[in-house]
Amino acid sequence: MFRTALRNVFAHKARLLMTAFAVMLGVTFVSGSLVFGDSLSRATAARATDGYERLAVSVFPEGSPTGGGPAGVDAATVATLAKVPGVAGAAGRVDGFAAVAGRDGRPIANDTSHRGGNFAPGTDGTDPAYRFVRGSGPTGDKTIALDEATAAKGGHRVGDTVRVGTDQGASSYTLSGIFRTDGTKLPSGGSLTLFHEATAQRLFLLPGRYKTVEVTAAPGTDAAQVLARVESVLPPNTGAATGSQLARIQENLATNDSDTMSQILLGFAAVALFVATFLISNTFTMLVARRTRELALMRAVGASRRQVRRILLAESLLVGALASVAGLAVGTGVAALLRTLFSSADTPSGPLVLTPGTVITSLLVGTALPTVAAWLPIRRAMAIPPVAALGAAEPAVPARTGSPRTGISAALLLTGTAASLYGALGAAEDARTVIGLGAALTLTGAIGFIPLLSRPFVALLRPLLTRLHPVYGDLAARNTVRDPRRTGATAAALAIALTLAAGLSVLGASAAQYLDRATTHDFTADYLIKPAEGGMRMTPATAEPLKGLPGATFSPLNQSTAYRLAGVPSVLTGVDPATIGRLLRYDVIEGSLDSLAQGRIAVADFKAAKAGWRVGQTLPLRREDGGQGDVTIGAVYRADEQSNLLPSITAPDALVARYDPDPSTAGILLDTDGGPGPSALGSVTRALGDNPALAVLDESGIRERESGSIGEQLNVFYALLSMALSIAALGIANTLAMSVLERRKEIGTLRALGMDRSGVTRMIRLEALLLGGLGATLGTALGVFLGWALGRTLQESVAGYALVIPWGRLALGVLIALAGALLASLWPARRAARVDIPAATAAQ
């Protein structure tokens, strides 16, 4: 049986080629995802734990292993730790936010990795945490050292003047050295600036205080011994942990994101495999149908039904095994491409990791997939009596409205649609879970229903086809519905990919519009000044330099927390009553914004509605630090609860200053003479002291900063879905090729009657377009529906979210699907056009 299966594989190698290619693509995606995920996890873990091996013990304020307690650790404790037996050295560390400007004045590195620290040399003048490649460590208040990558990006050399911004403002320093360090100090893709110790303490904590103390062990001393001795001399409210303990903590934290990315990739791999299942099943259905007489002859000469089934399953197993090996090899290369695709400044690098688990999983998936997909066609073929099969090949089985398959598909479709509607419109607690289950049922039911939909779909398009090409269009329409099940299985693969693409497009466009409204709808100023993300803390004093800018109108947004207004927890945002009306769009629905100048507050409508407040009402104000008083509501304005600019409670800045002497400034709104432009931007930047820690954003800059990542993420997902689209296109090519083989005599007869080669080619291409159009139309419709359903669940928690249908992007998806179908038809059409007329018409 094995020899027979092997002989059959080589006898039908051309027909099985696309099946093997589909399996290879699916295994490539799976193995590539696993290799990429394992490689990223290992590189991330290695980067996060790099450097902890040189630490025996880290000392920190109690409850904060990474440091940052309000008082830190004093210098006396550092001196005491250095004298502990078995300790080779104790280095006090202090760190904080420090953005380095390049030659263009813009900050180097990404927005969340601007770090600064202190240079802590030992008695030999070196700091074991840093290895200098040029120059030396900082030796005074006006000198700094930079990591090698940051210096290269900014074009800085030893001796250059470098602008650095911190929470204390911006200053110019002389670059004394360029160094290399490990992952404990420098985040991937970030920048690290070393200051003189006294300077770093002044900038980031307090003079004479440290956030952590790094203790190194003398040779031959165990870290556990050092920990025990260190703990015995620690002052109260101070803790300690070994370097290995901290390494495990950092590894767990660092690998969460890489695990998430791996799960996303495996999800898309599952989609690709699901799509490949339709191609494989369709191919084996056609192959078994073509070999009905051959199989019946084997049965007639004595082979049992079980033996014939084993032969066919062995064929699928052989195809899967060969394709799996190829897919595993290609997938390892694809992992390298994925690493390039997802590479960024903060992505750690490392070697590719191919684990035994990845090899076993890939081979199992690749061999099991074609075997499972071929089971139903084989079972159907084995049900045909040998005598009937010897008489003629198996006829196409039309989809009937009363068949069990149709009834089950209809039930699944209706149940899934009802579940999705209930999740979207009902009050279900787990709405997204309900919608997810409904989506799976809906898609499964729609796939089973496609054969029944193929006839009305083709009938709808037949008048257009016959008008364009009266003969070829009519023949293409008839051939497409000749075997509805085959048509349905081919179109289903494309429908799955388009469903995901359309759903992502709807969610992405809706989220982009929501974010755009939340970030720029209420913005009427020229500029918004904000700190770098994860960076410096702005205060009202940050805006003081703008007073010297000619023609400038500005207002800080001074946020103050820990209030209770009439018992309701509240955040007050202090503004300049004289200018805020020009800088933000307030849609006042009751009262007047001018009441801010009279010491009253203005409240957003959603806040007032929840608390039951109204204009003219006086509310008791209580603050956690003991401040108390009364405030009166002077206006209620319409606002989006998720707006990043429009506050929930707007108060005059004098009122906020009365209760909070040190509010945090969320941003500064600024109008300039003549509007935004290069000249105005330069003036504002200079007025702020050329501080790289501050971003001066116009409307487009705000939009890009807040919502630009959505488009990038969608493009990545579309790229991943292209694998499923490629497999679907292969399915169309395979279906058409097998159809050409089955209709060889028919095509020869048409040629004999006068149809030229271009006519045959045109007919096959029109069939491909019908298949592509059916899958694309159904997939787009399902995607829009599911995108709407998932979006409805966001409306409850995200005020202002509304459905947006991106017609242009949806149309582009349909066009891409049609173009893929057309490309898939090139080889089958060329093969059909070259059919030998005498041989074809003589065939039985």
Side-chain angles (χ1 to χ4, degrees), residues 494-510 714 717-718 721 725 775-788 790 803-807 809-814:
L494 194 61
I496 294 169
L498 264 294
T499 297
L500 293 174
L504 286 172
S505 296
V506 170
L507 288 173
S510 301
L714 284 178
F717 291 153
Y718 291 146
L721 283 174
L725 284 171
T777 301
L778 181 62
T780 302
L782 285 174
V784 171
F785 170 69
L786 295 177
W788 165 81
L790 287 172
L803 175 68
V804 175
I805 299 180
W807 297 108
R809 186 160 291 198
L810 294 178
L812 179 62
V814 172

mmCIF file of all heavy atoms in Angstrom, residues 494-510 714 717-718 721 725 775-788 790 803-807 809-814:
data_model
loop_
_atom_site.group_PDB
_atom_site.id
_atom_site.type_symbol
_atom_site.label_atom_id
_atom_site.label_comp_id
_atom_site.label_asym_id
_atom_site.label_seq_id
_atom_site.Cartn_x
_atom_site.Cartn_y
_atom_site.Cartn_z
ATOM 1 N N LEU A 494 -10.987 32.607 0.364
ATOM 2 C CA LEU A 494 -10.829 34.044 0.167
ATOM 3 C C LEU A 494 -11.727 34.828 1.114
ATOM 4 O O LEU A 494 -11.349 35.895 1.618
ATOM 5 C CB LEU A 494 -11.158 34.394 -1.291
ATOM 6 C CG LEU A 494 -10.749 35.773 -1.786
ATOM 7 C CD1 LEU A 494 -9.246 35.954 -1.685
ATOM 8 C CD2 LEU A 494 -11.193 35.964 -3.233
ATOM 9 N N ALA A 495 -12.919 34.308 1.391
ATOM 10 C CA ALA A 495 -13.858 34.999 2.281
ATOM 11 C C ALA A 495 -13.303 35.123 3.694
ATOM 12 O O ALA A 495 -13.499 36.147 4.354
ATOM 13 C CB ALA A 495 -15.199 34.257 2.306
ATOM 14 N N ILE A 496 -12.594 34.106 4.165
ATOM 15 C CA ILE A 496 -12.033 34.152 5.520
ATOM 16 C C ILE A 496 -11.029 35.292 5.632
ATOM 17 O O ILE A 496 -11.058 36.095 6.574
ATOM 18 C CB ILE A 496 -11.367 32.807 5.866
ATOM 19 C CG1 ILE A 496 -12.415 31.705 5.940
ATOM 20 C CG2 ILE A 496 -10.629 32.902 7.194
ATOM 21 C CD1 ILE A 496 -11.824 30.310 6.020
ATOM 22 N N ALA A 497 -10.112 35.355 4.655
ATOM 23 C CA ALA A 497 -9.092 36.414 4.695
ATOM 24 C C ALA A 497 -9.730 37.796 4.593
ATOM 25 O O ALA A 497 -9.344 38.731 5.311
ATOM 26 C CB ALA A 497 -8.087 36.210 3.566
ATOM 27 N N LEU A 498 -10.722 37.966 3.719
ATOM 28 C CA LEU A 498 -11.365 39.275 3.554
ATOM 29 C C LEU A 498 -12.212 39.639 4.767
ATOM 30 O O LEU A 498 -12.356 40.822 5.094
ATOM 31 C CB LEU A 498 -12.227 39.277 2.288
ATOM 32 C CG LEU A 498 -11.589 39.858 1.021
ATOM 33 C CD1 LEU A 498 -11.332 41.354 1.194
ATOM 34 C CD2 LEU A 498 -10.296 39.151 0.686
ATOM 35 N N THR A 499 -12.776 38.648 5.453
ATOM 36 C CA THR A 499 -13.534 38.936 6.673
ATOM 37 C C THR A 499 -12.633 39.579 7.718
ATOM 38 O O THR A 499 -12.980 40.603 8.324
ATOM 39 C CB THR A 499 -14.153 37.647 7.239
ATOM 40 O OG1 THR A 499 -15.089 37.120 6.307
ATOM 41 C CG2 THR A 499 -14.871 37.918 8.552
ATOM 42 N N LEU A 500 -11.471 38.995 7.928
ATOM 43 C CA LEU A 500 -10.539 39.564 8.898
ATOM 44 C C LEU A 500 -10.039 40.931 8.455
ATOM 45 O O LEU A 500 -9.959 41.868 9.256
ATOM 46 C CB LEU A 500 -9.358 38.616 9.096
ATOM 47 C CG LEU A 500 -9.690 37.268 9.764
ATOM 48 C CD1 LEU A 500 -8.462 36.369 9.769
ATOM 49 C CD2 LEU A 500 -10.199 37.471 11.172
ATOM 50 N N ALA A 501 -9.696 41.058 7.171
ATOM 51 C CA ALA A 501 -9.182 42.340 6.677
ATOM 52 C C ALA A 501 -10.238 43.434 6.780
ATOM 53 O O ALA A 501 -9.951 44.561 7.217
ATOM 54 C CB ALA A 501 -8.717 42.194 5.231
ATOM 55 N N ALA A 502 -11.479 43.125 6.407
ATOM 56 C CA ALA A 502 -12.542 44.131 6.477
ATOM 57 C C ALA A 502 -12.872 44.487 7.920
ATOM 58 O O ALA A 502 -13.087 45.662 8.249
ATOM 59 C CB ALA A 502 -13.795 43.620 5.760
ATOM 60 N N GLY A 503 -12.922 43.478 8.797
ATOM 61 C CA GLY A 503 -13.189 43.767 10.203
ATOM 62 C C GLY A 503 -12.119 44.641 10.819
ATOM 63 O O GLY A 503 -12.413 45.589 11.552
ATOM 64 N N LEU A 504 -10.849 44.350 10.519
ATOM 65 C CA LEU A 504 -9.759 45.186 11.017
ATOM 66 C C LEU A 504 -9.853 46.603 10.465
ATOM 67 O O LEU A 504 -9.570 47.580 11.163
ATOM 68 C CB LEU A 504 -8.414 44.567 10.642
ATOM 69 C CG LEU A 504 -7.983 43.327 11.431
ATOM 70 C CD1 LEU A 504 -6.727 42.722 10.817
ATOM 71 C CD2 LEU A 504 -7.744 43.667 12.891
ATOM 72 N N SER A 505 -10.245 46.721 9.200
ATOM 73 C CA SER A 505 -10.354 48.050 8.596
ATOM 74 C C SER A 505 -11.428 48.882 9.286
ATOM 75 O O SER A 505 -11.228 50.070 9.560
ATOM 76 C CB SER A 505 -10.673 47.919 7.100
ATOM 77 O OG SER A 505 -9.615 47.292 6.407
ATOM 78 N N VAL A 506 -12.573 48.265 9.558
ATOM 79 C CA VAL A 506 -13.663 48.987 10.219
ATOM 80 C C VAL A 506 -13.244 49.415 11.625
ATOM 81 O O VAL A 506 -13.422 50.573 12.030
ATOM 82 C CB VAL A 506 -14.931 48.114 10.268
ATOM 83 C CG1 VAL A 506 -15.998 48.743 11.163
ATOM 84 C CG2 VAL A 506 -15.480 47.910 8.859
ATOM 85 N N LEU A 507 -12.673 48.485 12.390
ATOM 86 C CA LEU A 507 -12.241 48.824 13.744
ATOM 87 C C LEU A 507 -11.131 49.866 13.723
ATOM 88 O O LEU A 507 -11.122 50.802 14.533
ATOM 89 C CB LEU A 507 -11.758 47.565 14.461
ATOM 90 C CG LEU A 507 -12.839 46.551 14.867
ATOM 91 C CD1 LEU A 507 -12.194 45.292 15.406
ATOM 92 C CD2 LEU A 507 -13.786 47.150 15.902
ATOM 93 N N GLY A 508 -10.184 49.717 12.801
ATOM 94 C CA GLY A 508 -9.081 50.680 12.722
ATOM 95 C C GLY A 508 -9.544 52.068 12.347
ATOM 96 O O GLY A 508 -9.125 53.067 12.947
ATOM 97 N N ALA A 509 -10.429 52.161 11.341
ATOM 98 C CA ALA A 509 -10.922 53.474 10.916
ATOM 99 C C ALA A 509 -11.764 54.120 12.016
ATOM 100 O O ALA A 509 -11.675 55.335 12.247
ATOM 101 C CB ALA A 509 -11.742 53.338 9.634
ATOM 102 N N SER A 510 -12.580 53.329 12.694
ATOM 103 C CA SER A 510 -13.405 53.872 13.773
ATOM 104 C C SER A 510 -12.534 54.353 14.933
ATOM 105 O O SER A 510 -12.769 55.436 15.491
ATOM 106 C CB SER A 510 -14.391 52.807 14.264
ATOM 107 O OG SER A 510 -15.225 52.357 13.216
ATOM 108 N N LEU A 714 -2.140 48.319 11.702
ATOM 109 C CA LEU A 714 -3.001 47.736 10.678
ATOM 110 C C LEU A 714 -2.181 47.246 9.486
ATOM 111 O O LEU A 714 -2.457 46.180 8.928
ATOM 112 C CB LEU A 714 -4.039 48.760 10.219
ATOM 113 C CG LEU A 714 -5.217 49.018 11.166
ATOM 114 C CD1 LEU A 714 -6.118 50.092 10.594
ATOM 115 C CD2 LEU A 714 -6.015 47.739 11.403
ATOM 116 N N PHE A 717 -0.738 43.946 10.303
ATOM 117 C CA PHE A 717 -1.746 42.888 10.252
ATOM 118 C C PHE A 717 -2.128 42.553 8.809
ATOM 119 O O PHE A 717 -2.336 41.381 8.471
ATOM 120 C CB PHE A 717 -2.989 43.311 11.040
ATOM 121 C CG PHE A 717 -2.769 43.381 12.523
ATOM 122 C CD1 PHE A 717 -3.520 44.227 13.319
ATOM 123 C CD2 PHE A 717 -1.809 42.608 13.135
ATOM 124 C CE1 PHE A 717 -3.321 44.287 14.681
ATOM 125 C CE2 PHE A 717 -1.591 42.650 14.504
ATOM 126 C CZ PHE A 717 -2.357 43.494 15.272
ATOM 127 N N TYR A 718 -2.238 43.566 7.969
ATOM 128 C CA TYR A 718 -2.538 43.309 6.561
ATOM 129 C C TYR A 718 -1.416 42.488 5.922
ATOM 130 O O TYR A 718 -1.677 41.595 5.098
ATOM 131 C CB TYR A 718 -2.708 44.620 5.793
ATOM 132 C CG TYR A 718 -3.941 45.405 6.164
ATOM 133 C CD1 TYR A 718 -3.942 46.791 6.165
ATOM 134 C CD2 TYR A 718 -5.119 44.762 6.518
ATOM 135 C CE1 TYR A 718 -5.070 47.511 6.509
ATOM 136 C CE2 TYR A 718 -6.254 45.468 6.872
ATOM 137 C CZ TYR A 718 -6.218 46.850 6.865
ATOM 138 O OH TYR A 718 -7.342 47.563 7.204
ATOM 139 N N LEU A 721 -1.952 39.000 6.927
ATOM 140 C CA LEU A 721 -3.093 38.413 6.240
ATOM 141 C C LEU A 721 -2.788 38.101 4.778
ATOM 142 O O LEU A 721 -3.492 37.314 4.149
ATOM 143 C CB LEU A 721 -4.298 39.351 6.318
ATOM 144 C CG LEU A 721 -5.054 39.374 7.647
ATOM 145 C CD1 LEU A 721 -6.132 40.450 7.626
ATOM 146 C CD2 LEU A 721 -5.679 38.014 7.928
ATOM 147 N N LEU A 725 -4.261 35.341 1.993
ATOM 148 C CA LEU A 725 -4.707 35.708 0.651
ATOM 149 C C LEU A 725 -3.923 34.938 -0.407
ATOM 150 O O LEU A 725 -4.487 34.523 -1.432
ATOM 151 C CB LEU A 725 -4.547 37.208 0.437
ATOM 152 C CG LEU A 725 -5.583 38.106 1.106
ATOM 153 C CD1 LEU A 725 -5.173 39.573 0.993
ATOM 154 C CD2 LEU A 725 -6.957 37.897 0.491
ATOM 155 N N GLY A 775 -16.043 35.352 -3.067
ATOM 156 C CA GLY A 775 -15.358 35.326 -1.777
ATOM 157 C C GLY A 775 -15.151 36.708 -1.201
ATOM 158 O O GLY A 775 -15.344 36.937 -0.001
ATOM 159 N N ALA A 776 -14.768 37.675 -2.060
ATOM 160 C CA ALA A 776 -14.501 39.029 -1.572
ATOM 161 C C ALA A 776 -15.771 39.710 -1.094
ATOM 162 O O ALA A 776 -15.768 40.404 -0.068
ATOM 163 C CB ALA A 776 -13.850 39.853 -2.674
ATOM 164 N N THR A 777 -16.863 39.518 -1.811
ATOM 165 C CA THR A 777 -18.127 40.161 -1.421
ATOM 166 C C THR A 777 -18.622 39.621 -0.089
ATOM 167 O O THR A 777 -18.989 40.385 0.824
ATOM 168 C CB THR A 777 -19.187 39.938 -2.507
ATOM 169 O OG1 THR A 777 -18.717 40.487 -3.738
ATOM 170 C CG2 THR A 777 -20.494 40.608 -2.125
ATOM 171 N N LEU A 778 -18.641 38.299 0.035
ATOM 172 C CA LEU A 778 -19.130 37.710 1.278
ATOM 173 C C LEU A 778 -18.210 38.065 2.441
ATOM 174 O O LEU A 778 -18.671 38.428 3.533
ATOM 175 C CB LEU A 778 -19.219 36.193 1.125
ATOM 176 C CG LEU A 778 -19.755 35.431 2.346
ATOM 177 C CD1 LEU A 778 -21.176 35.857 2.666
ATOM 178 C CD2 LEU A 778 -19.688 33.923 2.112
ATOM 179 N N GLY A 779 -16.895 37.975 2.225
ATOM 180 C CA GLY A 779 -15.949 38.292 3.293
ATOM 181 C C GLY A 779 -16.033 39.736 3.749
ATOM 182 O O GLY A 779 -15.987 40.026 4.948
ATOM 183 N N THR A 780 -16.180 40.657 2.801
ATOM 184 C CA THR A 780 -16.283 42.072 3.158
ATOM 185 C C THR A 780 -17.556 42.343 3.956
ATOM 186 O O THR A 780 -17.542 43.073 4.953
ATOM 187 C CB THR A 780 -16.254 42.941 1.896
ATOM 188 O OG1 THR A 780 -15.037 42.689 1.181
ATOM 189 C CG2 THR A 780 -16.338 44.411 2.245
ATOM 190 N N ALA A 781 -18.667 41.742 3.510
ATOM 191 C CA ALA A 781 -19.932 41.939 4.233
ATOM 192 C C ALA A 781 -19.836 41.397 5.659
ATOM 193 O O ALA A 781 -20.257 42.056 6.620
ATOM 194 C CB ALA A 781 -21.071 41.267 3.475
ATOM 195 N N LEU A 782 -19.276 40.197 5.815
ATOM 196 C CA LEU A 782 -19.130 39.627 7.155
ATOM 197 C C LEU A 782 -18.183 40.464 8.007
ATOM 198 O O LEU A 782 -18.417 40.680 9.198
ATOM 199 C CB LEU A 782 -18.605 38.193 7.054
ATOM 200 C CG LEU A 782 -19.591 37.117 6.612
ATOM 201 C CD1 LEU A 782 -18.875 35.791 6.429
ATOM 202 C CD2 LEU A 782 -20.721 36.953 7.622
ATOM 203 N N GLY A 783 -17.084 40.943 7.395
ATOM 204 C CA GLY A 783 -16.121 41.748 8.146
ATOM 205 C C GLY A 783 -16.722 43.039 8.656
ATOM 206 O O GLY A 783 -16.479 43.447 9.798
ATOM 207 N N VAL A 784 -17.520 43.707 7.822
ATOM 208 C CA VAL A 784 -18.166 44.949 8.252
ATOM 209 C C VAL A 784 -19.139 44.668 9.390
ATOM 210 O O VAL A 784 -19.200 45.416 10.384
ATOM 211 C CB VAL A 784 -18.888 45.615 7.061
ATOM 212 C CG1 VAL A 784 -19.748 46.785 7.539
ATOM 213 C CG2 VAL A 784 -17.878 46.099 6.034
ATOM 214 N N PHE A 785 -19.894 43.576 9.280
ATOM 215 C CA PHE A 785 -20.846 43.239 10.340
ATOM 216 C C PHE A 785 -20.132 42.949 11.659
ATOM 217 O O PHE A 785 -20.520 43.470 12.719
ATOM 218 C CB PHE A 785 -21.674 42.027 9.912
ATOM 219 C CG PHE A 785 -22.520 41.444 11.017
ATOM 220 C CD1 PHE A 785 -23.609 42.133 11.526
ATOM 221 C CD2 PHE A 785 -22.201 40.209 11.568
ATOM 222 C CE1 PHE A 785 -24.375 41.603 12.563
ATOM 223 C CE2 PHE A 785 -22.957 39.667 12.591
ATOM 224 C CZ PHE A 785 -24.053 40.364 13.091
ATOM 225 N N LEU A 786 -19.094 42.147 11.611
ATOM 226 C CA LEU A 786 -18.382 41.793 12.839
ATOM 227 C C LEU A 786 -17.621 42.998 13.389
ATOM 228 O O LEU A 786 -17.514 43.166 14.609
ATOM 229 C CB LEU A 786 -17.426 40.634 12.567
ATOM 230 C CG LEU A 786 -18.104 39.312 12.169
ATOM 231 C CD1 LEU A 786 -17.073 38.253 11.845
ATOM 232 C CD2 LEU A 786 -19.039 38.821 13.276
ATOM 233 N N GLY A 787 -17.077 43.844 12.506
ATOM 234 C CA GLY A 787 -16.429 45.063 12.963
ATOM 235 C C GLY A 787 -17.407 45.985 13.668
ATOM 236 O O GLY A 787 -17.080 46.606 14.689
ATOM 237 N N TRP A 788 -18.628 46.075 13.131
ATOM 238 C CA TRP A 788 -19.660 46.887 13.792
ATOM 239 C C TRP A 788 -20.015 46.300 15.161
ATOM 240 O O TRP A 788 -20.146 47.033 16.149
ATOM 241 C CB TRP A 788 -20.906 46.936 12.914
ATOM 242 C CG TRP A 788 -22.120 47.426 13.650
ATOM 243 C CD1 TRP A 788 -22.464 48.719 13.908
ATOM 244 C CD2 TRP A 788 -23.141 46.609 14.258
ATOM 245 N NE1 TRP A 788 -23.633 48.763 14.633
ATOM 246 C CE2 TRP A 788 -24.074 47.494 14.866
ATOM 247 C CE3 TRP A 788 -23.357 45.238 14.336
ATOM 248 C CZ2 TRP A 788 -25.192 47.024 15.536
ATOM 249 C CZ3 TRP A 788 -24.478 44.774 15.013
ATOM 250 C CH2 TRP A 788 -25.382 45.670 15.597
ATOM 251 N N LEU A 790 -18.240 44.334 17.206
ATOM 252 C CA LEU A 790 -17.177 44.557 18.197
ATOM 253 C C LEU A 790 -17.085 46.024 18.580
ATOM 254 O O LEU A 790 -16.827 46.368 19.740
ATOM 255 C CB LEU A 790 -15.840 44.072 17.640
ATOM 256 C CG LEU A 790 -15.654 42.553 17.572
ATOM 257 C CD1 LEU A 790 -14.383 42.211 16.813
ATOM 258 C CD2 LEU A 790 -15.617 41.961 18.977
ATOM 259 N N LEU A 803 -19.150 54.175 14.643
ATOM 260 C CA LEU A 803 -18.814 53.322 13.505
ATOM 261 C C LEU A 803 -18.391 54.166 12.312
ATOM 262 O O LEU A 803 -19.044 55.132 11.943
ATOM 263 C CB LEU A 803 -20.021 52.454 13.118
ATOM 264 C CG LEU A 803 -19.847 51.598 11.865
ATOM 265 C CD1 LEU A 803 -18.820 50.489 12.109
ATOM 266 C CD2 LEU A 803 -21.183 51.003 11.422
ATOM 267 N N VAL A 804 -17.276 53.789 11.724
ATOM 268 C CA VAL A 804 -16.795 54.402 10.483
ATOM 269 C C VAL A 804 -16.533 53.284 9.492
ATOM 270 O O VAL A 804 -15.793 52.342 9.793
ATOM 271 C CB VAL A 804 -15.500 55.215 10.713
ATOM 272 C CG1 VAL A 804 -14.955 55.741 9.391
ATOM 273 C CG2 VAL A 804 -15.756 56.360 11.671
ATOM 274 N N ILE A 805 -17.159 53.366 8.326
ATOM 275 C CA ILE A 805 -16.932 52.366 7.286
ATOM 276 C C ILE A 805 -15.948 52.946 6.281
ATOM 277 O O ILE A 805 -16.282 53.898 5.562
ATOM 278 C CB ILE A 805 -18.252 51.971 6.589
ATOM 279 C CG1 ILE A 805 -19.209 51.359 7.618
ATOM 280 C CG2 ILE A 805 -17.981 50.989 5.459
ATOM 281 C CD1 ILE A 805 -20.535 50.934 7.053
ATOM 282 N N PRO A 806 -14.737 52.418 6.224
ATOM 283 C CA PRO A 806 -13.721 52.948 5.305
ATOM 284 C C PRO A 806 -13.944 52.415 3.890
ATOM 285 O O PRO A 806 -13.307 51.442 3.462
ATOM 286 C CB PRO A 806 -12.423 52.434 5.917
ATOM 287 C CG PRO A 806 -12.793 51.150 6.581
ATOM 288 C CD PRO A 806 -14.215 51.319 7.067
ATOM 289 N N TRP A 807 -14.832 53.061 3.168
ATOM 290 C CA TRP A 807 -15.210 52.559 1.845
ATOM 291 C C TRP A 807 -13.993 52.394 0.941
ATOM 292 O O TRP A 807 -13.900 51.415 0.183
ATOM 293 C CB TRP A 807 -16.226 53.496 1.208
ATOM 294 C CG TRP A 807 -17.522 53.585 1.958
ATOM 295 C CD1 TRP A 807 -17.974 54.630 2.704
ATOM 296 C CD2 TRP A 807 -18.534 52.565 2.054
ATOM 297 N NE1 TRP A 807 -19.198 54.334 3.266
ATOM 298 C CE2 TRP A 807 -19.571 53.079 2.871
ATOM 299 C CE3 TRP A 807 -18.654 51.280 1.530
ATOM 300 C CZ2 TRP A 807 -20.702 52.344 3.177
ATOM 301 C CZ3 TRP A 807 -19.787 50.534 1.825
ATOM 302 C CH2 TRP A 807 -20.800 51.080 2.640
ATOM 303 N N ARG A 809 -10.817 51.802 1.708
ATOM 304 C CA ARG A 809 -9.975 50.659 2.078
ATOM 305 C C ARG A 809 -10.688 49.343 1.792
ATOM 306 O O ARG A 809 -10.053 48.370 1.370
ATOM 307 C CB ARG A 809 -9.601 50.764 3.554
ATOM 308 C CG ARG A 809 -8.621 49.705 4.013
ATOM 309 C CD ARG A 809 -7.919 50.092 5.292
ATOM 310 N NE ARG A 809 -7.007 51.210 5.088
ATOM 311 C CZ ARG A 809 -6.031 51.518 5.925
ATOM 312 N NH1 ARG A 809 -5.825 50.789 7.001
ATOM 313 N NH2 ARG A 809 -5.255 52.546 5.702
ATOM 314 N N LEU A 810 -12.007 49.293 2.005
ATOM 315 C CA LEU A 810 -12.754 48.081 1.690
ATOM 316 C C LEU A 810 -12.734 47.810 0.190
ATOM 317 O O LEU A 810 -12.565 46.661 -0.248
ATOM 318 C CB LEU A 810 -14.200 48.214 2.180
ATOM 319 C CG LEU A 810 -14.401 48.293 3.700
ATOM 320 C CD1 LEU A 810 -15.873 48.483 4.028
ATOM 321 C CD2 LEU A 810 -13.869 47.035 4.383
ATOM 322 N N ALA A 811 -12.913 48.872 -0.605
ATOM 323 C CA ALA A 811 -12.868 48.705 -2.061
ATOM 324 C C ALA A 811 -11.491 48.239 -2.510
ATOM 325 O O ALA A 811 -11.367 47.392 -3.411
ATOM 326 C CB ALA A 811 -13.231 50.025 -2.746
ATOM 327 N N LEU A 812 -10.442 48.777 -1.857
ATOM 328 C CA LEU A 812 -9.087 48.347 -2.190
ATOM 329 C C LEU A 812 -8.902 46.868 -1.879
ATOM 330 O O LEU A 812 -8.261 46.133 -2.650
ATOM 331 C CB LEU A 812 -8.079 49.185 -1.407
ATOM 332 C CG LEU A 812 -6.605 48.846 -1.631
ATOM 333 C CD1 LEU A 812 -6.217 49.074 -3.088
ATOM 334 C CD2 LEU A 812 -5.715 49.678 -0.704
ATOM 335 N N GLY A 813 -9.466 46.409 -0.754
ATOM 336 C CA GLY A 813 -9.369 44.992 -0.414
ATOM 337 C C GLY A 813 -10.035 44.109 -1.456
ATOM 338 O O GLY A 813 -9.498 43.065 -1.844
ATOM 339 N N VAL A 814 -11.219 44.534 -1.931
ATOM 340 C CA VAL A 814 -11.915 43.764 -2.971
ATOM 341 C C VAL A 814 -11.094 43.759 -4.256
ATOM 342 O O VAL A 814 -10.956 42.717 -4.919
ATOM 343 C CB VAL A 814 -13.321 44.350 -3.211
ATOM 344 C CG1 VAL A 814 -13.975 43.678 -4.415
ATOM 345 C CG2 VAL A 814 -14.188 44.170 -1.976
#
